[in-house]
Structures are given as C-alpha cells and as structure tokens.
Amino acid sequence: MPGELIDGKKIADEVRAELTSRIASLAARGVVPGLAAIIVGEDPGSKLYVKMKGKASEEMGLAHWTVELPETVSEARLLGEVARLNSDPKVHGILVQQPLPPQIRVDRAVAAVDPRKDVDCFHPTNVGLVLIGRPRFAPATPAGVVELLLRSGHDPGGKDVVIAGRSNIVGKPLAALLMQKAKGANATVTVVHSGTRDLSAHTRRAEILVAAMGSPRFIKADMVRDGVVVIDVGINRIADSTAKGGYRTVGDVDFDAVRAKAKAISPVPGGVGPMTIAMLLTNTVRAAELLGEA
Ligand code: NAD
C-alpha cells in the first residue's frame, strides 16, 4: 500500500478558514491587514510566487501591493522602498522576495524590514525569537511544515526528525521550531547538508524526513526506512517536452518510489507550497493585530 497523501491544499484551506474571524475582528476596528511585496528583476519563479501571494491576499480580503524594481536597482533604492513601506500605516507585512541580484546584500535587505512587519520572519531579531522559543512570527515555510505534520496526525514529539538542507529560509528555522520543548515540537532533530558524510545513514534513521535541498528527486527509496513520514519542501523545474510550457515541477523526493515505502508523504505541487502562503497570510493578520495593540 502506498503511503497516505498529506494534502497541503486541504490543510492550507483549513488554516485560511481559521483566519476569517480574526480578519473580521480587525475589520470591525477599521483595519484591513495589508501585505506589500518587493520583487527585483524578472525571475519567473519569484514573479509566480509574488503573484500567488497577492491572489491569496485578495481571496482573504487582505490588501496587497507589489513593488517591482529592475534587476539593476541599487541597494540604496531598494532600502529606500523598504523604509517607505516601514512607515506606511496601511502596510502591516513586508516581504522582499528572494533571490536578489548580486549588488544587493541579502542581510542588509532583510535587516532593513521593520521586525514588526517582517512576516517572512527573516529579520535577525525575529530569527532569534524563534530560536529562544518566543516567536513573534512563525517562519512561513517551516511553520507550514509543522502544521502539515500536526494536522495530518504526525506529531513530531519524541520522534527522530531528519532535515536535509540548512538554509536560513527552511532548514535552520525548521530545526529551531522542531527542537523546542513545546507542544507540536519536542523532536530529536538532525540536520544534514552538503558537508555531511554518509547522508543516507542519517536519512534512513528518520521517522520523519523533511527534504529541503533544491535538488530534484534526490531522496531515493533506498535512503528511507519503511513507515517514514516525508515532507517534501523542494520546488524544482525539470524539462519535460510532454508538459505545457516544456517543464514540470518536482520535489526533492523521488515521489512514487519513496511513497511505496512511506507511511505518509506530501506531494509537490500541493504540499508545502500552499502551506507557506497560508502561514504568510497568518503572519500578516498577526502583524496587523500586534501593530494595533502597540
Ligand atoms: P538553498 O539552496 O538555500 O539550501 C539548500 C540546502 O540544501 C543547503 O543547505 C545545502 O547544504 C543542502 N544541499 C543541497 N544539495 C545537497 C546535497 N546533494 N547533499 C546534502 N545537502 C545538500 O535552498 P532553500 O532556499 O532552503 O530551498 C530548498 C528547496 O525548497 C528549493 O527547491 C526551494 O525552491 C524550495 N522551497 C520551497 C518553499 C515552499 O514554499 N514550498 C519555500 C522555500 C523553498
């Protein structure tokens, strides 16, 4: 029997439905949560993500704006736009879509966002709050992974969780969330990465395996144990002449073969992607609530 499918679209819809009463309470006080995205250049993936975030905001009755800057934009100009959004009271959440071109220092861009509006949870202050277990915002993709696990009945408490990938966006903050002494966390976390010797020896131990490497179908069936729960964060475009547009999207997991051994697995697309957006909307609503209290 192939493993059960962890339906990210369905679970994201649940998370989004739970936001409606909070959005209504804000509306009763005359507040419409607003999300502003800055996008630099023409990267098709980034454009698609920003478009999806805007569409989701609209569906939920949130305000949203997209600031489009040219690939050649200076760091000073970008920081100027961030400062403008920081001081705009209609804007509760700001995200600077990555990747950024080489003339922009990512750490400068990330640190320029007002931490109270940092709905991506990339600002060093907010990253620190996550690490000490007192998050202001939950980092969107990692929090989406945790929600997928909990709401599909796979509480990570006490489990051996292996995360493949140590980026500041996914691997590291996910490790920080899962290792907390808290309900829905409390896992024994191993992070494997490009410097790991014998990666399979670790992944085969995992009761829960999270793949966040950006390497198409890297995790094969012989790298997992029977009954594993797999969350696939990867989003990779691979050439496919039979697909519309000449490419299709796959995860970091060799889906069919791994599913055959797994207890449960999240697909790509339709797994972590919709959850990331749902958590971003949650953070924007939270930002509006917190700014209203300040
Ligand atoms: P990244 O490139 O910043 O980090 C990848 C990490 O994987 C690195 O730490 C690297 O050490 C590790 N890695 C890569 N290849 C490896 C190998 N062969 N062996 C061991 N370790 C290896 O990427 P990221 O930003 O963390 O994103 C990872 C993937 O997740 C990408 O496919 C990205 O598109 C996707 N992603 C999806 C969402 C979503 O909402 N679903 C959000 C963010 C990222």
Side-chain angles (χ1 to χ4, degrees), residues 141 165-167 170 193-194 199 212-214 218 233-236 272-273 276:
T141 300
R166 60 173 158 191
S167 73
V170 189
H193 45 73
S194 51
L199 189 130
M213 312 163 86
F218 183 92
V233 182
I235 301 178
N236 310 289
V272 176
T276 296

Side-chain angles (χ1 to χ4, degrees), residues 15 230 274:
V15 172
V230 181

Side-chain angles (χ1 to χ4, degrees), residues 69-90:
L69 299 173
E71 184 77 26
T72 53
V73 72
S74 68
E75 187 178 273
R77 166 90 200 282
L78 173 78
L79 297 185
E81 288 295 333
V82 173
R84 184 178 66 75
L85 296 170
N86 279 344
S87 57
D88 184 339
K90 293 193 298 302

Side-chain angles (χ1 to χ4, degrees), residues 40 71-73 75 99-106:
V40 181
E71 184 77 26
T72 53
V73 72
E75 187 178 273
L100 291 167
Q103 76 275 17
I104 313 261
R105 287 166 287 186
V106 175

Side-chain angles (χ1 to χ4, degrees), residues 190-248:
T190 304
V191 180
V192 297
H193 45 73
S194 51
T196 299
R197 265 187 295 125
D198 197 358
L199 189 130
S200 297
H202 296 282
T203 56
R204 273 198 290 267
R205 262 194 315 104
E207 295 173 274
I208 296 174
L209 176 64
V210 182
M213 312 163 86
S215 188
R217 297 187 180 131
F218 183 92
I219 303 290
K220 308 286 186 216
D222 64 357
M223 296 168 72
V224 302
R225 71 188 221 181
D226 285 325
V228 65
V229 173
V230 181
I231 304 291
D232 190 350
V233 182
I235 301 178
N236 310 289
R237 281 180 169 199
I238 58 163
D240 180 350
S241 56
T242 65
K244 196 174 146 212
Y247 73 87
R248 73 196 165 96

Side-chain angles (χ1 to χ4, degrees), residues 122-144:
F122 292 166
H123 190 285
T125 301
N126 289 331
V127 174
L129 288 172
V130 169
L131 194 61
I132 64 170
R134 297 184 53 199
R136 175 190 275 137
F137 300 115
T141 300

Side-chain angles (χ1 to χ4, degrees), residues 6-16 148 151 270 274-275:
I6 301 178
D7 185 344
K9 171 82 178 62
K10 181 168 150 267
I11 295 174
D13 283 347
E14 281 170 28
V15 172
R16 285 165 63 153
L148 272 186
R151 292 176 188 246
M275 291 303 295

